[in-house]
C-alpha cells in the first residue's frame, strides 16, 4: 500500500480540513505531518462548525485512527482545549488518537519568544500566528527541543527548566516590552501535559511501516500551504516547516517510494493572511466581495485575509514541487456573480513576460498578466452534481485543467460535507 497526501497549494486556508473529512471514509489512518496550532482546519457537518488546530481532521469518523506525526509541534495547552471540545461533543478520542514520541513540544516560553521576535521586527514582522511555531522549530533544528517521548523520562522537568530559563534570557535580548506571568502559564502547561499523557504515545514511523505492510490505507494531511513552505515558499514570509510533499516523508517517516496519490487543494481565487508578497492581491471592490462572500477571516487568529484572483504561475509551481496527481477546487461558489473572472497566467518581470515563479515576487519586481474568462450568475451552493454546474464555470475548470495538465476531481460549493461535487 501507499500513503496518499493531501496538501494546500496556496498560502493556506484552502479548505484542507473539509476535504480530509470528506475523504476519511476511504482511509484507515489520517496523519498530520507538520505545523502545529498555527493551523485552523474547519469542518462543517450536520449544521455544526468544528475547528481543529493540531488534531487530524478524521477525528469525527468512527473508524479512522488519527495520528499526530513526528513533524508536528504540539502545544499541550491548545491540544487540551481541542480535546475538551471533542469530549463535549461526545467524541471518543482516546481510542482514535495517537501521538508520535518524536513530535516536539511548544513551551509557554516559545510563544513568548515568538511575540518578542515579531515585536522586535516592527514593520518587517512575518505576521506570525504567535503560537510559538518558529521558536519551537528553531529549538528542534538547534537540537535543544523537548519531545513528547521525553515526558516519559524522569528528568524531563529539569530539562524543561533549563530551556525555559534560556528562553527568558533570549526574550530579554530582544529588548521589547512583553507582559507575562510565567507561573500562571506554567501551571496551565503542566496541567495540560497530564491530559496529553492520557493519549497513547507511539513510535509512529514503526506504526506506519507496519500499517502499510498490513494493507492499511493512510492519508497524510498537510497544514498551511505550499507557498508558506520554509524552503519553497515566499521566504522569509513563510512558516517554519516543510508544507510540501517531501515534508510528509520527513514528518511521518515514510519512504518517498511509498507515496501514492497527491491531492492538491486550491481555492478558485487566492487568499493570504499575514505579511508577504501576493502578486494578484486586489485592493478594490472585487477583493472586498471575495472577502465578504467567502468569510475570509482566519480560523486561528480571526484576522481578515487578503484576497485576489487565482495565480496560475504560483499554482503551477506548487503542482510541480508536490507532484500533484489530482486537484480539488474549493469555494467556487464565492465567484458566482462576477461578470468576468481573471486568472494570472504569467508575470511581467524585469521587462520580460515569464511563466515561472522567480526568486523574488515582491510588487516592485512582478506584475500579473491576466487572461479573462466569462463569469457565471447561478448560486452553486445547493448543487451536488457535476451536470448542474453552469457552462461558464465548466469553461473555467477546463481552462485550469488544460493549463495545469492535472484533472480537477472535486469542486466544493460550500463549507458543508454535502456541498461537494465529484467529477
Ligand atoms: P507562523 O507559522 O505562525 O509562524 O506564521 C508564519 C506565516 O504563516 C504567517 O504569515 C501566518 O499568517 C501564516 N500561517 C501560518 N499558519 C497558517 C495557516 O494555517 N493558514 C494560513 N496562514 C498561516
Amino acid at each position: 500500500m501507499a500513503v496518499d497526501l493531501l496538501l494546500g497549494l496556496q498560502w493556506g486556508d484552502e479548505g484542507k480540513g473539509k476535504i480530509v473529512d470528506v475523504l476519511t471514509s476511504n482511509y484507515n489512518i489520517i496523519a498530520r505531518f507538520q505545523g502545529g496550532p498555527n493551523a485552523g482546519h474547519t469542518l462543517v457537518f450536520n449544521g455544526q462548525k468544528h475547528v481543529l488546530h493540531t488534531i487530524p481532521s478524521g477525528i469525527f469518523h468512527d473508524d479512522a485512527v488519527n495520528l499526530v506525526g513526528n513533524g508536528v509541534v504540539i502545544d499541550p495547552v491548545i491540544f487540551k482545549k481541542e480535546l475538551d471540545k471533542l469530549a463535549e461533543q461526545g467524541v471518543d478520542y482516546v481510542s482514535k488518537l495517537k501521538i508520535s514520541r518524536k513530535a516536539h513540544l511548544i513551551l509557554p516560553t516559545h510563544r513568548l519568544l515568538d511575540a518578542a521576535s515579531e515585536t522586535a521586527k516592527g514593520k518587517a514582522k512575518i505576521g506570525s500566528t504567535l503560537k510559538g511555531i518558529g521558536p519551537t522549530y528553531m529549538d528542534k533544528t538547534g537540537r535543544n527541543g523537548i519531545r513528547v517521548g521525553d515526558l516519559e523520562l524522569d528528568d524531563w522537568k529539569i530539562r524543561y527548566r533549563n530551556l525555559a530559563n534560556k528562553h527568558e534570557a533570549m526574550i530579554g535580548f530582544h529588548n521589547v516590552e512583553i507582559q507575562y506571568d510565567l507561573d500562571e502559564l506554567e501551571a496551565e502547561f503542566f496541567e495540560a501535559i497530564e491530559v496529553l499523557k492520557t493519549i497513547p504515545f507511539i513510535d509512529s514511523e514503526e506504526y506506519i511501516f507496519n500499517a502499510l505492510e498490513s494493507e492499511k490505507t493512510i492519508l497524510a494531511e498537510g497544514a498551511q500551504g505550499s507557498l508558506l513552505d520554509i524552503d519553497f515558499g515566499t521566504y522569509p514570509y513563510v512558516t517554519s516547516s516543510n508544507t510540501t510533499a517531501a515534508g510528509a516523508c520527513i514528518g511521518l517517516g515514510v519512504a518517498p517510494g511509498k507515496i501514492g496519490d497527491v491531492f492538491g487543494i486550491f481555492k478558485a481565487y487566492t487568499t493570504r493572511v499575514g505579511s508577504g508578497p501576493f502578486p494578484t492581491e486586489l485592493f478594490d471592490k472585487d477583493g472586498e466581495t471575495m472577502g465578504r462572500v467567502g468569510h475570509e477571516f482566519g480560523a486561528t487568529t480571526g484576522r481578515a485575509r487578503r484576497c485576489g484572483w487565482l495565480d496560475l504561475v504560483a499554482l503551477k509551481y506548487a503542482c510541480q514541487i508536490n507532484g500533484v496527481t489530482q486537484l480539488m477546487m474549493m469555494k467556487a461558489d464565492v465567484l458566482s456573480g462576477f461578470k468576468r473572472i481573471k486568472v494570472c497566467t504569467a508575470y511581467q518581470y524585469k521587462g520580460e513576460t515569464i511563466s515561472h515563479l522567480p526568486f523574488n515576487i515582491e510588487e516592485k519586481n512582478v506584475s500579473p498578466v491576466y487572461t479573462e474568462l466569462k463569469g457565471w450568475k447561478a448560486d452553486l451552493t445547493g448543487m451536488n452534481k457535476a451536470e448542474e454546474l453552469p457552462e461558464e464555470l465548466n469553461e473555467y475548470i477546463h481552462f485550469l485543467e488544460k493549463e495545469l495538465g492535472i484533472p480537477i476531481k472535486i469542486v466544493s460549493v460550500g463549507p458543508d460535507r454535502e456541498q461537494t461535487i465529484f467529477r
Side-chain angles (χ1 to χ4, degrees):
M1 291 302 279
V3 177
D4 292 336
L5 307 185
L6 187 141
L7 307 155
L9 300 178
Q10 295 160 316
W11 279 289
D13 310 316
E14 297 90 354
K16 297 174 288 294
K18 167 180 166 166
I19 296 296
V20 175
D21 176 57
V22 166
L23 296 181
T24 298
S25 45
N26 302 336
Y27 293 93
N28 302 120
I29 300 169
I30 310 296
R32 272 279 304 268
F33 59 87
Q34 46 71 228
N38 47 350
H41 292 175
T42 305
L43 289 71
V44 182
F45 53 88
N46 302 337
Q48 236 193 317
K49 179 173 157 179
H50 308 265
V51 181
L52 296 166
H53 298 287
T54 325
I55 294 175
S57 305
I59 197 72
F60 295 101
H61 289 252
D62 286 339
D63 302 323
V65 169
N66 287 261
L67 171 68
V68 181
N70 59 278
V72 176
V73 289
I74 300 173
D75 183 332
V77 176
I78 295 176
F79 202 84
K80 176 179 176 295
K81 286 187 186 149
E82 284 185 68
L83 294 180
D84 289 346
K85 280 225 173 95
L86 291 175
E88 273 169 33
Q89 290 152 9
V91 177
D92 166 22
Y93 55 76
V94 178
S95 64
K96 289 193 280 184
L97 248 184
K98 299 188 189 305
I99 303 177
S100 169
R101 287 199 171 86
K102 292 196 172 87
H104 280 246
L105 290 176
I106 302 175
L107 313 187
T109 42
H110 281 131
R111 267 185 276 138
L112 298 173
L113 265 175
D114 213 356
S117 162
E118 282 284 82
T119 309
K121 279 186 172 156
K123 275 195 182 149
K125 72 175 182 183
I126 307 294
S128 160
T129 60
L130 301 179
K131 303 292 174 195
I133 305 296
T136 307
Y137 280 114
M138 278 167 68
D139 270 339
K140 175 178 176 173
T141 51
R143 296 158 295 180
N144 301 311
I146 297 184
R147 299 186 289 175
V148 166
D150 293 332
L151 300 176
E152 296 170 323
L153 308 176
D154 291 337
D155 72 339
W156 88 267
K157 280 202 177 161
I158 299 170
R159 294 180 47 199
Y160 168 86
R161 188 77 275 140
N162 289 342
L163 190 55
N165 287 348
K166 186 172 144 198
H167 288 163
E168 281 214 278
M170 287 163 75
I171 292 165
F173 172 79
H174 282 294
N175 211 11
V176 289
E177 195 66 26
I178 299 284
Q179 303 285 343
Y180 62 91
D181 178 342
L182 192 54
D183 288 341
E184 200 179 299
L185 294 173
E186 286 185 343
E188 188 185 36
F189 177 75
F190 289 121
E191 188 195 332
I193 288 281
E194 293 311 312
V195 175
L196 194 73
K197 282 172 157 175
T198 63
I199 308 295
F201 298 165
I202 62 166
D203 297 330
S204 55
E205 59 279 25
E206 181 69 11
Y207 178 83
I208 288 199
F209 182 81
N210 290 335
L212 287 172
E213 289 286 292
S214 55
E215 303 283 301
K216 293 266 192 305
T217 49
I218 305 176
L219 179 69
E221 174 184 13
Q224 290 81 50
S226 301
L227 302 176
L228 289 172
D229 182 279
I230 183 76
D231 282 279
F232 299 106
T234 46
Y235 192 90
Y237 300 101
V238 292
T239 191
S240 297
S241 63
N242 283 112
T243 58
T244 43
C249 295
I250 291 294
L252 291 174
V254 174
K258 293 282 182 195
I259 300 299
D261 261 318
V262 181
F263 306 124
I265 316 289
F266 70 102
K267 269 182 202 170
Y269 49 101
T270 310
T271 63
R272 173 162 208 174
V273 63
S275 324
F278 179 176
T280 61
E281 183 170 10
L282 292 169
F283 300 94
D284 60 6
K285 227 169 135 262
D286 286 342
E288 189 267 322
T289 304
M290 287 173 193
R292 180 172 36 80
V293 179
H295 307 290
E296 295 295 355
F297 294 93
T300 298
T301 58
R303 291 178 292 176
R305 297 178 185 140
R306 301 152 64 192
C307 297
W309 296 114
L310 188 64
D311 184 340
L312 264 184
V313 178
L315 195 57
K316 222 179 254 180
Y317 170 81
C319 288
Q320 280 170 12
I321 281 177
N322 290 305
V324 172
T325 59
Q326 295 185 23
L327 287 163
M328 288 152 190
M329 184 167 88
M330 312 302 288
K331 290 195 152 181
D333 54 299
V334 175
L335 292 186
S336 291
F338 280 92
K339 275 208 180 87
R340 312 286 300 169
I341 308 279
K342 289 190 189 179
V343 187
C344 166
T345 45
Y347 292 151
Q348 276 297 331
Y349 178 74
K350 299 186 177 171
E352 266 184 82
T353 305
I354 60 165
S355 57
H356 74 278
L357 201 80
F359 178 73
N360 194 327
I361 60 163
E362 300 293 335
E363 200 184 341
K364 62 179 189 301
N365 298 306
V366 151
S367 60
V369 178
Y370 287 112
T371 296
E372 284 198 25
L373 288 96
K374 249 179 154 176
W376 56 91
K377 283 204 190 102
D379 175 5
L380 313 179
T381 54
M383 298 183 182
N384 51 24
K385 286 192 202 70
E387 302 80 67
E388 291 176 89
L389 296 178
E391 193 187 319
E392 296 86 352
L393 172 54
N394 279 324
E395 274 166 28
Y396 186 53
I397 293 170
H398 291 146
F399 177 77
L400 302 182
E401 287 184 321
K402 192 159 163 265
E403 289 284 318
L404 298 166
I406 305 168
I408 298 178
K409 292 285 196 182
I410 285 180
V411 177
S412 173
V413 293
D416 200 282
R417 260 184 202 167
E418 306 299 320
Q419 293 169 300
T420 309
I421 296 175
F422 292 86
R423 297 176 72 242

